[in-house]
Amino acid sequence: MLLNGNDPQAIATAARALAAGELVALPTETVYGLGARADDDAAVAKIFAAKGRPADHPLIVHVLDAEDAAYFAADLPEVARRLMQAFWPGPMTVIVPRAEGVAAASAGGQSSIGLRCPAHPVARALLAAARQQGVRGVAAPSANRFGRVSPTRAAHVADEFDADLLVLDGGDCAVGIESSIVDCSRGQAVLLRPGVLTAAQIEAAIGSPLLAPDAAAPRASGTLAAHYAPRATVRLLSTEQLQQRLSGALPEGLAVYSRTALAFAGCILQPMPLDAVVAAQQLFAVLRDLDAAGAREIWVESPPPAREWDGVRDRLTRAAAAFE
């Protein structure tokens, strides 16, 4: 059921559904999420069932503000507070110690929990209305089948799930890839998943270098080696590898997503934007559109090595890993 996210009555309907333990798909500035009230383990179980997602793969809890974040957290370390102050509302998820007895299913059974305050006005209106219904936070992974391409339009969500799912239409997502995830639960900031926020921006906010993930890092959403995959086979190639392959015989049903390639007969050419922010905003929609156009293989030119491309590079690397 597709509802106008700018309609107050639609927001009220969605808030009541969340309070009753039902699923609601909602827009955020990053991607559309499949939401349930985060403190209701039975409701959260419906997310895992609908997506086909393993129950030990944690979800991100979306909150209206720091007050609601504190409801789910046993502690908000100083590094988390700095990130919240700098980037909330926005595409930043902090992982912090979880309050005992709260949101165990949302956390995938871990003692830590991921929290984010979205900036999208429809998401914020829904969180505010849901709080009036007693809902302090909404667990909301991307609204797609597990491991597939994340949705950035309401129509993408409708394509994934049954028609009776309540979907709030808030237009195209402005950011287009999921939030940065920073583990703040162990004393120092560890970047678990890059997004559109650069490492330099994050380090400036916390006043210290980000660390790389280690074996002790908590499990986090969207960090499996293979993820974000379309139906078509994705090949991530250097500029030289792409040019070499294009000089030979081309497979049937080929699409090319590139900054440098020219049009070739017998393939779909989708230009990659030269700006990392624009590329991120378009990425998942491009992959879905190429699927819809009948592509069997998608050859993707590797993004530039600059750090602002880290989020796009991460998603493409995981999309290609599904076919290795």
Side-chain angles (χ1 to χ4, degrees):
M1 183 193 326
L2 197 62
L3 299 180
N4 181 358
N6 296 308
D7 179 358
Q9 292 302 317
I11 293 293
T13 297
R16 289 192 295 269
L18 287 171
E22 299 303 321
L23 300 182
V24 172
L26 64 148
T28 78
E29 71 277 16
T30 58
V31 300
Y32 275 74
L34 183 63
R37 62 178 301 164
D39 59 355
D40 183 339
D41 287 356
V44 170
K46 295 178 182 178
I47 296 177
F48 291 110
K51 285 179 61 74
R53 180 186 180 110
D56 66 349
H57 196 53
L59 311 178
I60 292 170
V61 175
H62 294 66
V63 295
L64 185 61
D65 51 30
E67 179 183 344
D68 282 346
Y71 172 77
F72 292 95
D75 176 44
L76 289 173
E78 177 61 25
V79 66
R81 292 181 182 275
R82 291 183 182 182
L83 291 172
M84 292 160 61
Q85 183 175 13
F87 301 118
W88 280 17
M92 166 59 65
T93 294
V94 296
I95 294 182
V96 298
R98 178 172 61 87
E100 187 175 355
V102 177
S106 295
Q110 296 186 114
S111 61
S112 60
I113 191 164
L115 302 172
R116 184 167 95 81
C117 176
H120 196 291
V122 174
R124 296 194 60 75
L126 177 60
L127 288 169
R131 184 156 72 178
Q132 295 298 315
Q133 299 282 335
V135 178
R136 301 296 299 272
V138 175
S142 56
N144 54 276
R145 304 291 181 180
F146 184 64
R148 310 304 292 179
V149 180
S150 302
T152 54
R153 301 169 184 159
H156 296 163
V157 182
D159 288 344
E160 294 272 348
F161 297 103
D162 295 335
D164 57 354
L165 174 66
L166 197 162
V167 182
L168 289 176
D169 187 350
D172 290 1
C173 298
V175 173
I177 62 173
E178 295 82 356
S179 60
S180 306
I181 299 179
V182 179
D183 175 24
C184 305
S185 67
R186 297 177 294 154
Q188 293 180 290
V190 179
L191 182 62
L192 301 186
R193 181 178 71 184
V196 295
L197 297 172
T198 66
Q201 288 175 293
I202 297 171
E203 289 172 344
I206 62 178
S208 62
L210 283 166
L211 301 183
D214 56 24
R219 298 186 304 278
S221 186
T223 57
L224 296 178
H227 215 73
Y228 312 110
R231 291 188 298 272
T233 300
V234 176
R235 309 290 185 197
L236 189 58
L237 306 168
S238 69
T239 302
E240 294 73 18
Q241 289 172 326
L242 177 63
Q243 297 299 336
Q244 183 177 20
R245 288 200 179 199
L246 287 174
S247 66
L250 303 182
E252 184 178 353
L254 175 65
V256 176
Y257 187 42
S258 167
R259 303 181 314 282
T260 62
L262 302 176
F264 279 79
C267 80
I268 304 167
L269 176 63
Q270 176 65 48
M272 180 185 292
L274 300 179
D275 182 272
V277 173
V278 178
Q281 197 276 332
Q282 298 179 3
L283 176 61
F284 290 144
V286 164
L287 294 179
R288 284 177 173 269
D289 288 348
L290 292 176
D291 261 347
R296 297 183 184 179
E297 287 195 28
I298 305 173
W299 293 357
V300 180
E301 183 177 356
S302 294
R307 296 301 300 273
E308 60 263 29
W309 286 88
D310 284 354
V312 172
R313 188 183 306 103
D314 172 83
R315 303 314 188 272
L316 287 171
T317 299
R318 296 179 197 278
F323 305 100
E324 291 180 353

